[in-house]
Amino acid sequence: MEPEKETPPQPIIEQLLDYAETRIKLAKYQAIEGGTSIAASLIADVVVVMSMVLAFVFASFTLAFYLAYLFGADWIGFGCVAIIYLIIALAIKYNKRAIEKPIVNAFIQKIFKNQ
């Protein structure tokens, strides 16, 4: 059996350069992974929000026409729906801080979920 030939150790400078290069590549890959994850999540959320908005619009028209049928006049049905939205808007305006905080926290959790 022949003794194995030892390869001379690399100088410390070359090892440090290799280490730095590897760390830079790792940081780039982690940034790419985080960016694509956030982009995919954002696209999925936009699709969900658009679908919900469309459902909300059609539900609003349905409610307005139903109330119009009950009251016998289109303007009364649509007026009632407008008043409902006005009440909702005022409730949101006066409870703005209580509504903003959970939304901000949800965005922060979504951004930092991989860490």
Side-chain angles (χ1 to χ4, degrees):
M1 202 179 227
E2 288 184 29
E4 293 183 23
K5 294 182 181 179
E6 289 187 25
T7 59
Q10 291 181 325
I12 191 76
I13 301 296
E14 287 181 24
Q15 290 178 355
L16 287 174
L17 289 173
D18 287 343
Y19 177 74
E21 184 179 322
T22 303
R23 292 293 293 178
I24 289 170
K25 283 183 183 178
L26 177 63
K28 285 180 184 177
Y29 292 145
Q30 287 175 337
I32 290 170
E33 179 189 10
T36 55
S37 174
I38 290 172
S41 178
L42 185 64
I43 290 170
D45 290 344
V46 166
V47 169
V48 168
V49 167
M50 286 176 50
S51 298
M52 291 174 65
V53 166
L54 284 173
F56 182 75
V57 167
F58 286 118
S60 297
F61 277 111
T62 302
L63 178 62
F65 281 121
Y66 179 70
L67 292 174
Y69 170 77
L70 288 180
F71 291 120
D74 287 344
W75 68 272
I76 295 175
F78 281 88
C80 289
V81 171
I83 290 172
I84 291 169
Y85 290 148
L86 179 64
I87 292 169
I88 292 171
L90 290 174
I92 290 172
K93 182 181 184 322
Y94 290 115
N95 294 315
K96 186 177 179 183
R97 294 226 186 253
I99 294 170
E100 280 180 347
K101 191 168 185 172
I103 294 171
V104 169
N105 289 338
F107 277 120
I108 291 172
Q109 286 178 349
K110 185 173 285 293
I111 290 171
F112 291 111
K113 74 177 179 182
N114 291 333
Q115 295 180 1

